[in-house]
Amino acid sequence: MCCGPCAIYPLKKMLEERIEVCGFFYNPNIHPYTEYRKRLDAVKILADKMELRVIYCDEYSMEEFIRNTIDNVSTRCGYCYTSRLEATARAAVENGFDLFSSSLLYSKYQDHELIKHIGLRMANKFGAHFYYSDFRIGWKEGIKESKEMSLYRQKYCGCIYSEKERYLGIKAG
Ligand code: SF4
């Protein structure tokens, strides 16, 4: 889970399928830190409302993200997806879960096929199962519910580059 709003629809879908879900919050490269805290707090509010158990990986490793992306900013999302899905798959195995998934699969703004590809690769690496679903079909439903819950809704993807692009009016490539 990267934030509250993006997690609503995936959680509902899995719960409807009678999957016993535990959240895993990991969102280490959000800029600035105050924005990171807002997203973390939104997950806590959602968890409370949905009575959801969440494992919080409260790591803010902005420097590591920048070190690994600064020389090739245009491919940063692949690194970002990999680090998130790797941490999620590892946590799933360490905590004895049968499968893992990602709220990244909900976003219309992400490279969906790349996320799916990396998820399957991480499943293979850790000997876990990747629960794939095109959660984008619940885009409008998720937005509506996040508004009804008055959850904090972010205005840009998250990292320092996306924040710059958002407020300089640069279209993401
Ligand atoms: S734009 Fe979004 S997905 Fe891409 S690196 Fe930044 S935070 Fe990650």
Coordinates of all heavy atoms in Angstrom, one line a residue, residues 46-76:
L46 N -7.5 4.7 7.0 CA -8.2 3.6 6.2 C -8.2 2.3 7.0 O -9.2 1.6 7.1 CB -7.5 3.5 4.9 CG -8.1 2.4 4.0 CD1 -9.5 2.8 3.5 CD2 -7.2 2.1 2.8
A47 N -7.1 2.0 7.6 CA -7.0 0.7 8.3 C -7.9 0.7 9.4 O -8.6 -0.3 9.7 CB -5.5 0.5 8.8
D48 N -8.1 1.8 10.1 CA -9.0 1.9 11.2 C -10.4 1.7 10.7 O -11.2 0.9 11.3 CB -8.8 3.3 11.8 CG -9.4 3.3 13.2 OD1 -9.2 2.4 14.0 OD2 -10.0 4.3 13.6
K49 N -10.8 2.4 9.6 CA -12.2 2.3 9.1 C -12.5 0.9 8.6 O -13.6 0.4 8.7 CB -12.4 3.3 8.0 CG -12.5 4.8 8.5 CD -12.7 5.7 7.3 CE -12.7 7.1 7.6 NZ -13.8 7.6 8.5
M50 N -11.5 0.2 8.0 CA -11.8 -1.1 7.4 C -11.4 -2.2 8.4 O -11.5 -3.4 8.0 CB -11.0 -1.2 6.1 CG -11.5 -0.3 5.0 SD -10.8 -0.6 3.4 CE -11.6 -2.0 2.8
E51 N -11.0 -1.9 9.6 CA -10.5 -2.9 10.6 C -9.5 -3.8 10.0 O -9.7 -5.0 10.0 CB -11.8 -3.6 11.1 CG -12.7 -2.7 11.8 CD -13.9 -3.4 12.4 OE1 -14.1 -4.6 12.0 OE2 -14.6 -2.8 13.2
L52 N -8.5 -3.2 9.4 CA -7.5 -4.0 8.6 C -6.2 -4.0 9.4 O -5.7 -2.9 9.9 CB -7.3 -3.3 7.3 CG -6.2 -3.9 6.4 CD1 -6.8 -5.1 5.7 CD2 -5.8 -2.9 5.3
R53 N -5.6 -5.2 9.5 CA -4.3 -5.2 10.1 C -3.3 -4.8 9.0 O -3.4 -5.2 7.9 CB -4.0 -6.7 10.5 CG -2.6 -6.9 11.1 CD -2.3 -8.3 11.3 NE -0.8 -8.5 11.4 CZ -0.1 -9.6 11.0 NH1 -0.8 -10.6 10.4 NH2 1.2 -9.6 11.2
V54 N -2.3 -3.9 9.5 CA -1.3 -3.4 8.5 C 0.1 -3.5 9.2 O 0.2 -3.2 10.3 CB -1.6 -1.9 8.2 CG1 -0.5 -1.4 7.3 CG2 -3.0 -1.7 7.5
I55 N 1.0 -4.0 8.4 CA 2.4 -4.0 8.8 C 3.0 -2.7 8.2 O 2.9 -2.5 7.0 CB 3.1 -5.2 8.2 CG1 2.5 -6.5 8.8 CG2 4.6 -5.2 8.5 CD1 3.0 -7.8 8.1
Y56 N 3.5 -1.9 9.1 CA 4.1 -0.6 8.6 C 5.6 -0.7 8.5 O 6.3 -0.9 9.5 CB 3.7 0.5 9.6 CG 2.2 0.8 9.6 CD1 1.4 0.2 10.5 CD2 1.7 1.7 8.6 CE1 0.0 0.5 10.5 CE2 0.3 1.9 8.6 CZ -0.5 1.3 9.5 OH -1.9 1.6 9.5
C57 N 6.1 -0.5 7.3 CA 7.5 -0.4 7.1 C 7.8 1.1 7.0 O 7.8 1.7 5.9 CB 7.9 -1.2 5.8 SG 9.7 -1.2 5.6
D58 N 8.0 1.7 8.1 CA 8.1 3.2 8.2 C 9.5 3.6 7.9 O 10.2 4.2 8.7 CB 7.6 3.6 9.6 CG 7.4 5.1 9.7 OD1 7.5 5.8 8.6 OD2 7.1 5.6 10.8
E59 N 9.9 3.4 6.7 CA 11.3 3.7 6.3 C 11.3 4.9 5.3 O 10.5 4.8 4.3 CB 11.9 2.5 5.4 CG 12.8 1.6 6.2 CD 13.2 0.4 5.3 OE1 13.4 0.6 4.1 OE2 13.4 -0.7 5.9
Y60 N 12.1 5.8 5.5 CA 12.1 7.0 4.6 C 13.5 7.1 4.0 O 14.4 7.8 4.6 CB 11.8 8.3 5.4 CG 11.6 9.5 4.5 CD1 10.5 9.5 3.6 CD2 12.4 10.5 4.5 CE1 10.3 10.6 2.7 CE2 12.3 11.6 3.7 CZ 11.2 11.6 2.8 OH 11.0 12.7 1.9
S61 N 13.8 6.4 3.0 CA 15.1 6.3 2.4 C 15.3 7.1 1.1 O 15.6 6.6 0.1 CB 15.5 4.8 2.2 OG 14.4 4.1 1.6
M62 N 15.0 8.4 1.2 CA 15.0 9.3 0.1 C 16.4 9.3 -0.5 O 16.5 9.3 -1.8 CB 14.6 10.7 0.6 CG 14.6 11.7 -0.5 SD 14.5 13.4 0.2 CE 16.1 13.5 0.9
E63 N 17.4 9.3 0.3 CA 18.8 9.4 -0.3 C 19.1 8.2 -1.1 O 19.7 8.4 -2.2 CB 19.8 9.5 0.9 CG 19.7 10.8 1.7 CD 18.7 10.7 2.8 OE1 18.0 9.7 2.9 OE2 18.7 11.6 3.7
E64 N 18.7 7.0 -0.7 CA 19.0 5.8 -1.4 C 18.3 5.9 -2.8 O 18.9 5.5 -3.8 CB 18.6 4.6 -0.6 CG 18.9 3.3 -1.3 CD 18.4 2.1 -0.5 OE1 18.1 2.3 0.7 OE2 18.2 1.0 -1.1
F65 N 17.1 6.3 -2.8 CA 16.3 6.4 -4.0 C 17.0 7.4 -5.0 O 17.2 7.1 -6.2 CB 14.9 6.9 -3.7 CG 14.1 7.3 -4.9 CD1 13.6 6.3 -5.8 CD2 13.8 8.6 -5.2 CE1 12.9 6.6 -6.9 CE2 13.1 8.9 -6.4 CZ 12.6 7.9 -7.2
I66 N 17.4 8.5 -4.5 CA 18.0 9.5 -5.4 C 19.4 9.0 -5.9 O 19.7 9.1 -7.1 CB 18.2 10.8 -4.6 CG1 16.8 11.5 -4.4 CG2 19.1 11.8 -5.4 CD1 16.8 12.7 -3.5
R67 N 20.1 8.3 -5.0 CA 21.4 7.8 -5.4 C 21.2 6.8 -6.6 O 22.0 6.7 -7.5 CB 22.1 7.0 -4.3 CG 23.4 7.6 -3.8 CD 24.2 6.7 -2.8 NE 23.4 5.9 -1.9 CZ 23.0 6.4 -0.7 NH1 23.3 7.6 -0.3 NH2 22.4 5.6 0.1
N68 N 20.2 6.0 -6.5 CA 19.9 5.0 -7.5 C 19.2 5.4 -8.8 O 19.0 4.6 -9.7 CB 19.2 3.8 -6.9 CG 20.1 2.9 -6.1 OD1 20.9 2.2 -6.6 ND2 19.9 3.1 -4.8
T69 N 18.8 6.7 -8.8 CA 18.0 7.1 -10.0 C 18.5 8.4 -10.6 O 18.1 8.7 -11.7 CB 16.5 7.4 -9.6 OG1 16.5 8.3 -8.4 CG2 15.8 6.1 -9.2
I70 N 19.4 9.1 -10.0 CA 19.8 10.4 -10.4 C 20.5 10.4 -11.8 O 20.4 11.4 -12.5 CB 20.7 11.1 -9.3 CG1 20.9 12.6 -9.6 CG2 22.1 10.4 -9.2 CD1 19.7 13.4 -9.4
D71 N 21.2 9.3 -12.1 CA 21.9 9.3 -13.4 C 21.0 8.9 -14.6 O 21.4 8.9 -15.7 CB 23.1 8.3 -13.3 CG 24.1 8.8 -12.4 OD1 24.3 10.0 -12.3 OD2 24.8 8.0 -11.8
N72 N 19.8 8.4 -14.3 CA 18.8 8.1 -15.3 C 17.4 8.3 -14.8 O 16.6 7.3 -14.6 CB 19.1 6.6 -15.7 CG 18.6 6.4 -17.2 OD1 17.9 7.2 -17.7 ND2 19.0 5.3 -17.7
V73 N 17.1 9.5 -14.7 CA 15.8 9.9 -14.1 C 14.6 9.3 -14.9 O 13.6 9.0 -14.3 CB 15.7 11.4 -14.0 CG1 14.3 11.9 -13.5 CG2 16.8 11.9 -13.0
S74 N 14.7 9.2 -16.2 CA 13.6 8.8 -17.0 C 13.2 7.3 -16.8 O 12.1 7.0 -17.1 CB 13.9 9.0 -18.5 OG 14.9 8.2 -18.9
T75 N 14.1 6.5 -16.2 CA 13.7 5.1 -15.9 C 13.5 4.9 -14.4 O 13.5 3.7 -14.0 CB 14.8 4.2 -16.4 OG1 16.0 4.5 -15.7 CG2 15.1 4.3 -17.9
R76 N 13.3 6.0 -13.7 CA 13.2 5.8 -12.2 C 12.0 5.0 -11.8 O 12.1 4.3 -10.8 CB 13.0 7.2 -11.6 CG 11.7 7.9 -12.0 CD 11.7 9.3 -11.5 NE 10.4 10.0 -11.7 CZ 10.1 10.7 -12.7 NH1 11.0 11.0 -13.7 NH2 8.9 11.3 -12.9

